[in-house]
Amino acid sequence: MTIWDAIILGIVEGLTEFLPVSSTGHLTIASKALGLPIDDRAVTAFTAVIQFGAIAAVVLFMWKDIRTYAVAWFRGLRHPEHRGEFDHRMGWFVIVGSLPICIVGFLARDIISGPLRSMWWVAGSLIVWSFFMVAAERFGSKARPLTRITLIDAVVMGLMQCLALIPGVSRSGATITAGLFRGLDRVAATRMAFLLGIPALVGAAIFELPSALDGSIGVAPVVVGTLVSFVVGYASVAWLIRFVAKHTMGVFALYRILLGIVIIILLATSTITAT
């Protein structure tokens, strides 16, 4: 992997990690276009590790909220009278909602980095999940702000986040869609998706770090890709929050469907191979 490869993949990661278009799917497509073996352990590890940049971006963007929830959570542990406060409960919501993907991701790690790294999976998942996104916009009431989120909401969104282990589904797309189906408004669902993504992305990046730093890739591309994903990721997070306040996810669904169709055509005509 060259430095230019790392820069391109860092840009793709930063742009797509928090947009509901599937960062894994786009990284798989980009890796394929760069001539990298998309089912190679070191390559999949690299794409997981550069998520550190996107993680840092969303932590910086939401630092005030994260600090408030963390302080309230620890205060509630020490002082029972504070356990009914929303900020303390939000700490528990993020913790509990993050558990499913940590467990499933660890148990299914070999499948995720192997058989699922196929362009057929990417194309199919991009198209199929788009219809769930449209349905969530159509049938979700979008009536509740973040301050009215419940433990059940967090658990449902956490369970749906597991589907993002399939390339093409999108972690943010799955969690936002689940939040909309549960009646959260778009901004609330998006901010909760960001919070649930932090533990999941940190865990995946730490787990894959040794593989990404082995001799086939090296330290320099990992550092460059991570820095680029941080800069681009911050801009992407800030833009998405503003966008969902006034627009539906329909444009993302349409983009996903068109991209999926293009990939299928390329695969069917043998213009590209699946792995």
Side-chain angles (χ1 to χ4, degrees):
M1 182 179 296
T2 68
I3 294 298
W4 284 113
D5 292 338
I7 291 174
I8 292 172
L9 293 176
I11 292 172
V12 173
E13 164 63 21
L15 279 175
T16 61
E17 181 59 58
F18 296 102
L19 299 184
V21 296
S22 176
S23 62
T24 304
H26 279 75
L27 285 167
T28 302
I29 295 169
S31 298
K32 183 72 174 177
L34 292 171
L36 300 171
I38 61 176
D39 57 349
D40 181 81
R41 177 72 179 183
V43 174
T44 59
F46 172 84
T47 58
V49 171
I50 62 173
Q51 291 173 342
F52 269 128
I55 298 164
V58 78
V59 168
L60 179 61
F61 183 82
M62 299 190 67
W63 176 247
K64 184 177 180 180
D65 290 339
I66 293 171
R67 182 180 181 278
T68 298
Y69 299 148
V71 170
W73 185 76
F74 281 109
R75 183 171 61 241
L77 293 182
R78 297 193 305 269
H79 306 288
E81 63 271 19
H82 293 289
R83 292 175 186 172
E85 297 174 359
F86 169 76
D87 292 339
H88 173 77
R89 289 185 286 111
M90 268 296 291
W92 280 116
F93 294 166
V94 174
I95 292 171
V96 174
S98 300
L99 291 177
I101 196 169
C102 293
I103 296 171
V104 175
F106 177 77
L107 295 177
R109 60 191 183 281
D110 292 333
I111 298 175
I112 296 166
S113 61
L116 292 184
R117 292 288 175 154
S118 165
M119 297 299 290
W120 285 110
W121 274 105
V122 172
S125 300
L126 282 169
I127 294 172
V128 171
W129 194 257
S130 298
F131 292 101
F132 286 95
M133 292 168 60
V134 172
E137 285 284 1
R138 174 66 177 82
F139 299 109
S141 64
K142 299 181 287 293
R144 290 188 289 133
L146 191 62
T147 52
R148 292 180 57 194
I149 195 171
T150 67
L151 179 61
I152 295 177
D153 296 329
V155 170
V156 171
M157 293 178 72
L159 289 172
M160 290 299 101
Q161 189 172 220
C162 295
L163 293 176
L165 297 171
I166 303 173
V169 170
S170 168
R171 189 199 55 75
S172 61
T175 47
I176 293 172
T177 298
L180 294 180
F181 271 125
R182 290 289 304 166
L184 296 176
D185 64 43
R186 293 190 198 94
V187 173
T190 301
R191 295 185 77 89
M192 189 61 183
F194 288 169
L195 291 169
L196 289 175
I198 294 171
L201 296 176
V202 169
I206 292 175
F207 184 81
E208 297 288 0
L209 186 59
S211 297
L213 295 177
D214 71 8
S216 62
I217 291 183
V219 175
V222 172
V223 172
V224 170
T226 301
L227 289 175
V228 172
S229 72
F230 166 75
V231 175
V232 179
Y234 188 89
S236 177
V237 167
W239 176 83
L240 182 60
I241 287 292
R242 293 194 299 269
F243 181 86
V244 297
K246 298 180 180 180
H247 303 84
T248 73
M249 293 197 295
V251 63
F252 297 115
L254 177 60
Y255 166 77
R256 291 166 57 99
I257 292 172
L258 293 176
L259 180 59
I261 291 173
V262 169
I263 294 172
I264 289 175
I265 293 173
L266 294 176
L267 288 168
T269 58
S270 299
T271 304
I272 61 174
T273 57
T275 58

